[in-house]
């Protein structure tokens, strides 16, 4: 085929890459972050509870997720989720889940393990006296958590949570193993169709690089700003 | 006089280390009791047993007749009726002064927001900080924070107030502004249990003084007797140490 770096290929492919691929990547990142932070926070509360019946399973889950490669988890869930779904609702046939939903569930469950550890550190960073003050006022466990501990923990941990989200943003590219068209998947499709591997893969790398770098720059700014507030 | 707070023979251990040994005392309605003693003597632990912030293994604590340690006691509900002021203020730093004052009123007592704000601002005015309502705790001095903390506890209309070394974390020039609020409160007839080293406060408003050492209540006497001639050697030594300089 033609020699030399062809910028026109990128220009022609860009609308497709962003409209199809990047939309998927960002939606997946956003939903998995939201779900992961919520589930992760619950896991963290379980790990910190004084009841072993809550703490042990949560600890086991987190350690399991953190010791298994993400690709494997994506694979497993893609094949297992239909059966787990059928088992939950009691259907005899595997539930049709679809690649997108399967990805959202997988990433939520996987990232929750990492968000859990961040939130655990965040909750532990709040002085014991704050909890005591809430209890002394008559607030129950959920009120103390929801109104006093978690708001402060989230604020302290925002930079770390966002940094983890940047990693999540990059990790979503692993969905290629179940042939889903995310940003990298879209780039790979064009690369193979037009035989423009160098152009497409360097462009994809550049987009990931710029996005991640600007996000971490924002995180750094945020961190400096929050240090002043406190 | 009926006892508002009854502490009956309580003992507490941290592992094998005993922090409280057979402590018995009571605080009558409208009475002001000062608890003093060297550090590590268990006075803070004792006061935290009153609202169940510290569990204890033996004995019984009753507040307004309700057993604190009993399994079927609704502890949050009981705590809502007992005000507590901490050594390190423990205002909620992410909430404004007004929000600090209203949070528990709204969430626990289910007061309408406007009523809660009105009540909070009235008490803020009473501790002399009306103009600081919209500030955050971090923008206030230690003494101001502790006064807000007292107002926050009073906003719940408590039947008794517990003070855990309320002036120990303060710079010397701020101690009096907090003590003034406490003296006024005592003179109004509030039931108070106060862990403090401020013997001037004890002389001025306390009815009784409890002296603790090594987890035991060594002396439990009327103020005049305690300052006049303490019965125990240890209390006499303690008094001479903190009064003679």
């Amino acid at each position: 085929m033609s020699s030399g770096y062809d910028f026109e290929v990128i220009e022609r492919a860009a609308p497709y890459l962003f409209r199809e691929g990047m939309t998927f990547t960002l939606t997946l990142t956003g939903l998995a972050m939201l779900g992961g932070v919520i589930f992760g926070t619950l896991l963290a509360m379980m790990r910190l509870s004084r009841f072993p019946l809550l703490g042990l399973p949560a600890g086991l889950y987190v350690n399991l997720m953190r010791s298994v490669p993400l690709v494997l988890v994506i694979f497993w869930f893609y094949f297992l989720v239909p059966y787990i779904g059928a088992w939950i609702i009691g259907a005899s046939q595997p539930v049709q889940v679809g690649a997108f939903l399967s990805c959202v569930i997988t990433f939520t469950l996987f990232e929750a393990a990492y968000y859990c550890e961040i939130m655990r550190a965040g909750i532990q960073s709040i002085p014991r006296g704050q909890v005591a003050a809430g209890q002394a006022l008559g607030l129950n466990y959920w009120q103390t958590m929801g109104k006093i501990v978690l708001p402060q923990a989230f604020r302290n941990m925002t930079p770390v949570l966002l940094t983890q989200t940047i990693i999540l943003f990059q990790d979503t590219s692993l969905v290629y193993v179940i042939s889903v068209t995310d940003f990298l998947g879209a780039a790979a499709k064009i690369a193979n169709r037009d035989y423009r591997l160098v152009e497409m893969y360097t462009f994809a790398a550049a987009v990931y690089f710029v996005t991640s770098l600007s996000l971490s720059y924002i995180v750094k700014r945020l961190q400096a700003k929050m240090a002043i507030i406190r | 006089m009926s006892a508002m707070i009854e502490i009956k023979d309580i003992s507490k251990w941290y592992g094998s280390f005993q922090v409280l040994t057979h402590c018995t005392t009571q605080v009558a309605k409208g009475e002001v009791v000062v608890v003093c003693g060297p550090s590590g003597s268990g006075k803070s632990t004792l006061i935290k047993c009153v609202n169940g912030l510290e569990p204890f293994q033996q004995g019984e604590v009753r507040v307004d007749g309700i057993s604190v340690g009993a399994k079927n006691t609704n502890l949050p509900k009981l705590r809502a009726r007992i005000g507590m002021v901490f050594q390190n203020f423990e205002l909620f730093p992410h909430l404004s002064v007004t929000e600090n004052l209203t949070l528990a009123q709204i969430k626990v007592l289910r007061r309408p927001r406007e009523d809660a704000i009105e009540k909070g601002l009235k008490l803020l005015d009473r501790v002399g900080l009306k103009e600081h309502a919209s500030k955050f705790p971090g923008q206030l001095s230690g003494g101001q924070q502790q006064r807000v903390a007292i107002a926050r506890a009073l906003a719940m209309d408590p039947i008794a107030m517990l003070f855990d070394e309320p002036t120990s974390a303060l710079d010397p020039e701020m101690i009096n502004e907090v003590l003034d609020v406490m003296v006024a409160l005592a003179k109004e007839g509030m039931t108070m249990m106060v862990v403090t080293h401020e013997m001037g406060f004890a002389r001025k408003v306390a009815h009784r003084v409890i002296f603790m050492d090594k987890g035991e209540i060594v002396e439990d006497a009327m103020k005049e007797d305690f300052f006049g001639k303490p019965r125990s050697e240890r209390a006499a030594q303690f008094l001479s140490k903190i009064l003679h300089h």
Side-chain angles (χ1 to χ4, degrees), chain B residues 128-142:
Chain B
L129 296 169
K130 200 165 119 194
E131 64 277 23
H132 300 284
S134 52
K135 285 189 181 168
F136 281 82
Q139 299 169 297
L140 302 177
S141 73

Side-chain angles (χ1 to χ4, degrees), chain B residues 91-105:
Chain B
L91 292 180
F92 307 129
H94 61 300
L95 301 178
S96 72
V97 167
T98 306
E99 288 166 329
N100 264 281
L101 292 164
T102 55
L103 175 69
Q105 288 190 69

Side-chain angles (χ1 to χ4, degrees), chain B residues 69-141:
Chain B
K71 277 213 161 59
N72 56 359
T73 297
N74 184 340
L75 210 47
K77 202 175 165 187
L78 182 61
R79 281 172 179 152
R81 303 169 63 206
I82 311 167
M84 182 147 198
V85 175
F86 296 85
Q87 184 175 355
N88 295 313
F89 331 133
E90 304 299 352
L91 292 180
F92 307 129
H94 61 300
L95 301 178
S96 72
V97 167
T98 306
E99 288 166 329
N100 264 281
L101 292 164
T102 55
L103 175 69
Q105 288 190 69
I106 294 166
K107 291 284 158 193
V108 180
L109 302 181
R110 307 254 164 236
R111 279 189 187 142
R113 184 171 300 272
E114 307 79 60
D115 297 5
I117 291 174
E118 197 192 322
K119 174 109 190 167
L121 293 182
K122 210 168 87 191
L123 286 161
L124 198 61
D125 188 25
R126 201 181 130 174
V127 297
L129 296 169
K130 200 165 119 194
E131 64 277 23
H132 300 284
S134 52
K135 285 189 181 168
F136 281 82
Q139 299 169 297
L140 302 177
S141 73

